[in-house]
Amino acid sequence: LMFGKVKPCNCAAAADRSPAQCNLVLLGVTGSGKSALTVKFLTKRFISEYDPHLEDIYSSEETVDQQPVTVRVMDTCDQEGPVNSERYLSWASAFLVVYSINNMESFKGCQLYLHTLALHNKTPIMLLGNKLDMDRYRQVSRCDGELLASRFGCVFFEVSACQDFLSVQRVFHEAVRRGRSL
Ligand code: GDP
Ligand code: MG
């Protein structure tokens, strides 16, 4: 895969030289599509099989509202719900909490992440119902997603990592818009 990786320890140093930067973290249960969304945003491609045990931080130079911004994306993988959340709670400038619309367990599971963020007063949060292409197997209504988002003060989107790039980019750029700092 042809996109840049950076290790967490480099981020603070890199941030000092950067005119604008934004750190995004993707949270949610295994299988919800965090890696697929991350890879789609970074490469415009859908990778259907991505190592489920891989957690890493990627960096991309983006232009959002005509402004250059260095976007770092932490694609997390937790084996069992929110653990060691310290690694991203203060690092992240915005949070993307992902579930699959065709999997009720993932919708329940993502609420543990929303509770963790609420407990630490962390914002902004984007709640993402992924796998919109699986609409015919939907288990979580759009209304349920919207309700959960409003309970936790999140912005809500339904997306698909395997459909058009622009709608995925729009979601990530909206997260940057809300999370970026100069
Ligand atoms: P993660 O554990 O949250 O990182 O999930 P992955 O990105 O590894 O995705 C889990 C599985 O769901 C993989 O088989 C992906 O191919 C699939 N997947 C991810 N996003 C989508 C999507 O938008 N639509 C469909 N149909 N499958 C997806
Ligand atoms: Mg993954």
Side-chain angles (χ1 to χ4, degrees):
L1 287 175
M2 299 296 289
F3 49 85
K5 286 188 184 184
V6 291
K7 290 295 159 199
C9 55
N10 293 335
C11 290
D16 291 340
R17 298 189 301 271
S18 174
Q21 42 118 14
C22 184
N23 293 344
L24 306 179
V25 62
L26 280 89
L27 303 171
V29 304
T30 301
S32 55
K34 300 177 298 295
S35 299
L37 285 168
T38 299
V39 172
K40 182 75 166 202
F41 170 61
L42 295 167
T43 70
K44 305 188 181 176
R45 291 170 59 212
F46 175 64
I47 307 288
S48 63
E49 293 304 322
Y50 201 76
D51 183 351
H53 306 296
L54 193 63
E55 174 163 308
D56 224 324
I57 297 177
Y58 306 97
S59 182
S60 176
E61 301 303 322
E62 297 288 320
T63 304
V64 180
D65 301 334
Q66 292 86 47
Q67 306 268 348
V69 53
T70 302
V71 179
R72 295 189 192 83
V73 183
M74 184 190 292
D75 175 25
T76 64
C77 70
D78 288 332
Q79 300 307 322
E80 38 206 322
V83 285
N84 301 324
S85 48
E86 310 76 37
R87 73 192 188 283
Y88 53 76
L89 280 176
S90 52
W91 177 83
S93 10
F95 302 85
L96 293 85
V97 175
V98 183
Y99 66 90
S100 329
I101 66 157
N102 62 341
N103 185 315
M104 183 54 78
E105 289 305 309
S106 73
F107 186 64
K108 291 183 180 143
C110 86
Q111 300 182 29
L112 298 174
Y113 291 92
L114 293 175
H115 281 291
T116 300
L117 296 177
L119 196 64
H120 294 87
N121 284 312
K122 292 297 177 183
T123 57
I125 307 169
M126 323 274 292
L127 179 64
L128 305 183
N130 186 37
K131 310 198 187 181
L132 188 54
D133 55 289
M134 301 295 274
D135 198 34
R136 63 193 180 283
Y137 304 111
R138 186 188 276 276
Q139 294 182 356
V140 184
S141 71
R142 187 181 289 257
C143 184
D144 287 342
E146 281 167 355
L147 266 172
L148 183 63
S150 69
R151 266 179 57 207
F152 284 91
C154 310
V155 186
F156 178 66
F157 287 100
E158 289 189 337
V159 286
S160 168
C162 63
Q163 288 178 328
D164 67 305
F165 164 71
L166 287 178
S167 57
V168 172
Q169 186 190 49
R170 190 177 309 129
V171 166
F172 277 79
H173 281 189
E174 185 58 30
V176 169
R177 205 167 274 130
R178 289 164 186 272
R180 89 164 130 203
S181 57
L182 286 172

